[in-house]
Amino acid sequence: MKNSHPYIHEYQSAVTNYMEYLNVIAKHLTSEEGITGIPLDFHIVPCLLSKAPPPLHIYTSPPDKPQTPVLAFVFCGKFLPPSFFHRPVAVCIRAWPICQERGQCCLFNGLAIFTVNDTYTLRICYMDYIIYARIVCCSENEKVYNFIWLFQEVRRKLKKSLKDFVHLSSSVFEECIQCPGMKVSLHNEWLFIVKQFKYKNAIACPVCNPNSVTRSNAMKHWFKERLDRIETDDE
Ligand SMILES: [Zn+2]
Ligand SMILES: [Zn+2]
Ligand SMILES: [Zn+2]
Ligand SMILES: [Zn+2]
């Protein structure tokens, strides 16, 4: 705001409120404030952030840590304006503290990491027309499936933030799961449309070949409730 025309300054709070309403900017919560819900009067403008230092995969696929498969929101028409990504980032900034990792605050242009609880971090990033999300556990002994409810909640929050923003049906994007056997998440590789698992028990995958990606492996983290419904209906 400091470089804008003086006219804007007179209306700063109104402009700020409006931008917060649009989720263009978001109030930043520190760890303690994340708990008490008292925000600082401090703003983050996602499009002014710097790029994450490479290699990206140390953030998106940290080795030897229990983690969920990568959830991907793949935008139809292969089109995703950066502002679509800023929306879930802003929603996350309001919900959880930004994670400190490798001595830096992990809020970058196109990549953000949040501390969702004592042991779990949410990593979201985007490339081209795909938004990726993964939850990683910082404790090697933690059982990822003890926190299934958390994954459902995070997925719903991300999805809602995108749907609210585009004011369109969810057909604007497709929810996909990346092959759970993929060690390092690669952009736009081996993504499986989750809806397909409604009718298929398993889908062939070149990474896991001769094994395939089973419905259970694809859905048991982010889509556990839907998986339970499908399996109940099958009986
Ligand atoms: Zn403010
Ligand atoms: Zn922007
Ligand atoms: Zn590398
Ligand atoms: Zn696979």
Side-chain angles (χ1 to χ4, degrees), residues 15-209:
V15 170
T16 301
N17 287 341
Y18 181 64
M19 286 172 78
E20 278 175 1
Y21 169 74
L22 291 176
N23 275 322
V24 172
I25 58 176
K27 283 180 174 151
H28 177 37
L29 303 181
T30 63
S31 312
E32 300 77 48
E33 286 156 348
I35 293 156
T36 60
I38 304 161
L40 294 170
D41 193 17
F42 174 73
H43 293 88
I44 288 162
V45 183
C47 39
L48 299 182
L49 298 168
S50 61
K51 287 254 178 236
L56 269 189
H57 61 84
I58 61 166
Y59 299 99
T60 58
S61 312
D64 308 320
K65 301 280 186 239
Q67 48 202 284
T68 67
V70 170
L71 167 70
F73 298 96
V74 180
F75 279 71
C76 308
K78 302 193 171 184
F79 177 67
L80 171 66
S83 57
F84 279 38
F85 179 68
H86 298 158
R87 169 73 191 220
V89 170
V91 166
C92 291
I93 287 171
R94 284 181 188 174
W96 304 293
I98 296 162
C99 182
Q100 306 284 324
E101 205 172 272
R102 286 163 233 281
Q104 39 193 347
C105 174
C106 294
L107 181 65
F108 303 107
N109 191 351
L111 172 84
I113 307 179
F114 300 94
T115 305
V116 284
N117 67 22
D118 288 345
T119 40
Y120 283 92
T121 54
L122 166 67
R123 286 129 205 276
I124 58 173
C125 66
Y126 93 98
M127 285 184 106
D128 302 336
Y129 53 92
I130 305 175
I131 293 175
Y132 298 98
R134 164 174 263 170
I135 292 177
V136 175
C137 182
C138 64
S139 153
E140 267 138 68
N141 305 315
E142 189 76 63
K143 294 283 176 283
V144 167
Y145 47 76
N146 288 343
F147 287 86
I148 293 295
W149 57 272
L150 177 72
F151 310 152
Q152 317 295 295
E153 187 190 304
V154 169
R155 182 180 67 82
R156 261 189 234 111
K157 194 185 269 290
L158 295 176
K159 186 176 180 180
K160 183 174 186 299
S161 73
L162 291 169
K163 282 172 82 172
D164 286 354
F165 190 45
V166 291
H167 289 292
L168 292 166
S169 68
S170 52
S171 61
V172 176
F173 52 84
E174 205 65 82
E175 284 176 295
C176 297
I177 286 288
Q178 192 162 47
C179 167
M182 196 177 228
K183 285 269 179 287
V184 172
S185 173
L186 296 178
H187 174 46
N188 207 4
E189 300 280 353
W190 319 128
L191 295 170
F192 298 90
I193 297 173
V194 173
K195 279 194 299 215
Q196 293 184 317
F197 288 101
K198 184 165 187 199
Y199 305 105
K200 293 175 185 162
N201 250 318
I203 299 177
C205 168
V207 180
C208 314
N209 193 26

